[in-house]
Amino acid sequence: MTEMATLILDGKRYELPLFTGTEGERAIDITNLRDQTGCVAYDPSYSNVGSCRSAITFIDGEHGVLRFRGIPIEQFERETPNFVEVAYLIIFGRLPTPAELQDFSRRMTEYAHIHEAMKYHFEAFPITAPPMAILSAMINSLSCFYPELFQLEDKEQFESAAARLLSKVRTIAAYAYRSSLGLPFIASHSNLRYCANFLHMMFSMPYELYRADPVIEDALNLVLLLHADHGQNCSTATVRLVGSSRANLFASCAAGVCALWGPLHGGANKAVIEMLQKIHDKEHSADEVLGMAKDRDTTFRLPGFGHRVYKHYDPRAAILKRACDRLLDKLGRQDPLLQIAQELEGKALNDPFFVDRGLYPNVDFYSGIILRAIGIPLNMFTVMFALGRLPGWIAQWRELHDDPSSTICRPRQIYVGQSRRDYLPLEERIDPSPDDGPDSSPQLSGIKRSE
Ligand code: SDX
């Protein structure tokens, strides 16, 4: 018997079906709300709207829980799998057998090169080009060179496309860095695992191979796998929205890169380090930064703090904070920015402004400290987030395509512009009065909510 929610509108009762997810999350199914009531639901940032049923990642924001295909992420800190293994889990729904992992890794190695003609694109970008712009452009250009990957109906084709995308995006990221420094491209090495190969392609020189310290390689594996998926975040929702028109996987992931770029989303890991550096350089004190974040008259928000879903400590931030200490200790290094970050966190978590609003460190607050210790340049930080998130985008795109009920996403709106008016011939138009503004329709903020 389906449980129902009752909506009373204009004295009429409407019954809306309820359904419950694996972990007890309840949803009111409003699929037929407009047909039944003539009304649409309104939630411009979708924070109260479930856009899909997904079996990939479970997040409990109130209790700081995150599981990939049911496995709590804390177990990945303890078991230290490599990123490719977690990518397989996220994409195919279960941990790979040794033979499957070996085959998937082999495909990564096989597909690591990019079409020779693609390399000329890098020469056309200005040396100051933002790596996220290059990443999005080059992922899209994969569509030009590998059209055979548009047809992903069968499992074998999809598995090949997933491995190809994961491997080639790693190469594109490394080449974006190399081209920004005018350095020669370094081909992947068949004997290196995913992260060691990336660092090799980033930092090796023609005369000297870069050999990643296993401590560094493990740290990069952990950073990437912790980013592997996170439900319907802004960039993943973008990948699904683009994929819902049946756009190909490359176009959908290229769009995801663009959404991730914003400082409210994946761009925050770079903003955190820039903020910590300013405190270190005495441009601002920690107290002044917290004061600016609390000032409602500014748009400044404390980077790396707060979250749409977590109203408690982001479990990834807790793991990354521990990993910072472990990595720097093993490398025998100090990073003054880590001390500043820990001081800032301590102050914020003793400040009612942050605690009362449920503002805690998120995944971006400590990830940059690790990327710095690895030697990743600041302008590549969000690219690293994208590399980590790629398995999630691929899995979510596939889940959308495998859902027989999925159709093109097309939200509605509430129109608040001009009511009907006629075209005015040019000669009859007069200068608008000062309070007319460019378009004298009622402003969104002035929208009158019906009583
Ligand atoms: C990621 O969605 C995901 O899953 C994303 C992600 C993923 O893995 O894909 O987890 C990755 O994007 C993490 C977030 C990275 N962004 C940042 O660190 C940027 C700084 N954070 C904020 O901009 C903000 O917290 C957001 C954008 C992340 C969330 O914004 P919301 O939904 O508006 O936050 P909220 O509703 O919890 O805010 C409640 C109050 C508001 O103030 P009041 O109206 O109550 O006065 O807290 C304020 C907000 O203005 N607030 C902050 C703040 N975050 C929220 N004030 C100061 N500093 C902040 N960081």
Side-chain angles (χ1 to χ4, degrees):
M1 169 73 174
T2 305
E3 219 186 337
M4 305 298 273
T6 303
L7 173 69
I8 297 173
L9 183 63
D10 302 333
K12 205 174 161 196
R13 296 170 70 88
Y14 300 91
E15 299 296 320
L16 300 168
L18 282 157
F19 67 90
T20 304
T22 312
E23 298 298 334
E25 297 160 297
R26 299 176 78 199
I28 301 171
D29 184 340
I30 57 168
T31 311
N32 300 311
L33 179 69
R34 190 170 184 272
D35 291 345
Q36 283 179 276
T37 69
C39 289
V40 295
Y42 181 71
D43 180 12
S45 63
Y46 308 149
S47 45
N48 298 286
V49 173
S51 62
C52 61
R53 299 168 193 243
S54 179
I56 300 168
T57 293
F58 172 67
I59 302 172
D60 176 343
E62 281 67 33
H63 300 96
V65 173
L66 174 58
R67 298 184 200 138
F68 290 160
R69 298 286 188 182
I71 302 175
I73 58 163
E74 289 74 14
Q75 295 189 16
F76 297 123
E77 180 186 19
R78 195 181 63 232
E79 305 299 332
T80 63
N82 72 35
F83 170 60
V84 171
E85 196 177 347
V86 173
Y88 189 100
L89 167 72
I90 292 277
I91 294 170
F92 300 108
R94 60 176 174 75
L95 290 166
T97 62
E100 287 167 333
L101 181 57
Q102 190 180 19
D103 177 58
F104 199 54
S105 301
R106 176 188 56 74
R107 289 170 190 258
M108 295 278 184
T109 303
E110 236 174 80
Y111 297 143
H113 65 283
I114 59 173
H115 195 290
E116 283 300 304
M118 286 181 71
K119 294 179 182 175
Y120 297 109
H121 290 251
F122 290 97
E123 291 167 18
F125 293 115
I127 205 148
T128 53
M132 285 295 273
I134 297 175
L135 189 67
S136 180
M138 294 304 284
I139 289 177
N140 230 339
S141 69
L142 285 171
S143 323
C144 310
F145 291 90
Y146 301 97
E148 69 276 15
L149 293 174
F150 286 2
Q151 310 312 325
L152 299 180
E153 271 43 53
D154 75 42
K155 180 179 175 305
E156 172 56 29
Q157 271 185 325
F158 180 77
E159 199 158 314
S160 168
R164 204 184 287 259
L165 197 52
L166 285 168
S167 189
K168 291 186 186 315
V169 174
R170 169 188 54 181
T171 302
I172 288 168
Y175 286 7
Y177 168 70
R178 302 288 291 191
S179 62
S180 74
L181 298 175
L183 293 173
F185 295 148
I186 299 288
S188 72
H189 198 300
S190 57
N191 295 338
L192 296 176
R193 300 199 312 182
Y194 186 94
C195 287
N197 226 336
F198 173 70
L199 295 169
H200 154 65
M201 291 193 275
M202 284 278 287
F203 302 129
S204 283
M205 297 308 267
Y207 52 84
E208 186 181 28
L209 278 188
Y210 172 90
R211 295 196 185 289
D213 178 329
V215 169
I216 294 262
E217 184 185 354
D218 288 348
L220 183 55
N221 260 309
L222 184 63
V223 168
L224 293 183
L225 71 83
L226 286 176
H227 285 78
D229 190 60
H230 208 245
Q232 303 312 309
N233 57 84
C234 179
S235 51
T236 300
T238 301
V239 169
R240 276 185 173 254
L241 194 77
V242 172
S244 76
S245 74
R246 294 293 177 259
N248 66 72
L249 178 57
F250 301 121
S252 303
C253 291
V257 169
C258 296
L260 186 68
W261 194 353
L264 294 187
H265 192 12
N269 58 13
K270 175 171 175 285
V272 168
I273 295 298
E274 288 166 340
M275 166 190 65
L276 297 175
Q277 193 64 55
K278 281 183 180 162
I279 295 172
H280 177 265
D281 300 343
K282 307 267 185 274
E283 271 186 57
H284 300 296
S285 71
D287 290 328
E288 283 166 342
V289 168
L290 293 177
M292 286 188 290
K294 296 188 316 189
D295 180 354
R296 301 292 79 186
D297 295 334
T298 72
T299 55
F300 177 75
R301 295 287 178 270
L302 192 63
F305 254 71
H307 199 275
R308 288 263 61 178
V309 173
Y310 290 121
K311 300 309 170 192
H312 201 279
Y313 216 102
D314 182 333
R316 299 167 298 178
I319 293 173
L320 289 167
K321 182 177 180 182
R322 292 192 289 268
C324 286
D325 287 327
R326 271 200 313 272
L327 176 62
L328 292 172
D329 184 49
K330 285 179 183 172
L331 294 175
R333 278 192 230 158
Q334 295 288 325
D335 183 345
L337 300 196
L338 177 58
Q339 275 72 28
I340 294 171
Q342 289 166 335
E343 178 203 331
L344 205 59
E345 175 190 341
K347 287 176 179 285
L349 298 192
N350 281 294
D351 184 323
F353 174 89
F354 294 92
V355 176
D356 296 351
R357 288 171 172 78
L359 306 179
Y360 291 84
N362 60 50
V363 68
D364 294 305
F365 194 64
Y366 286 105
S367 56
I369 302 286
I370 296 177
L371 295 174
R372 267 164 60 92
I374 292 173
I376 304 291
L378 188 60
N379 70 348
M380 287 285 289
F381 278 17
T382 311
V383 169
M384 302 311 292
F385 193 140
L387 270 190
R389 184 52 50 88
L390 204 52
W393 290 343
I394 293 168
Q396 300 267 355
W397 185 90
R398 176 63 185 251
E399 190 173 64
L400 167 89
H401 279 255
D402 286 349
D403 176 357
S405 68
S406 78
T407 179
I408 190 166
C409 295
R410 202 256 181 243
R412 292 269 183 169
Q413 63 169 26
I414 297 297
Y415 175 71
V416 292
Q418 291 283 349
S419 48
R420 188 193 179 289
R421 57 181 171 167
D422 293 324
Y423 177 82
L424 209 56
L426 194 58
E427 61 280 3
E428 293 178 24
R429 291 173 212 159
I430 55 171
D431 288 340
S433 66
D435 60 1
D436 266 359
D439 171 0
S440 54
S441 61
Q443 293 309 310
L444 286 180
S445 54
I447 191 169
K448 288 183 177 49
R449 292 187 186 286
S450 48
E451 298 310 317

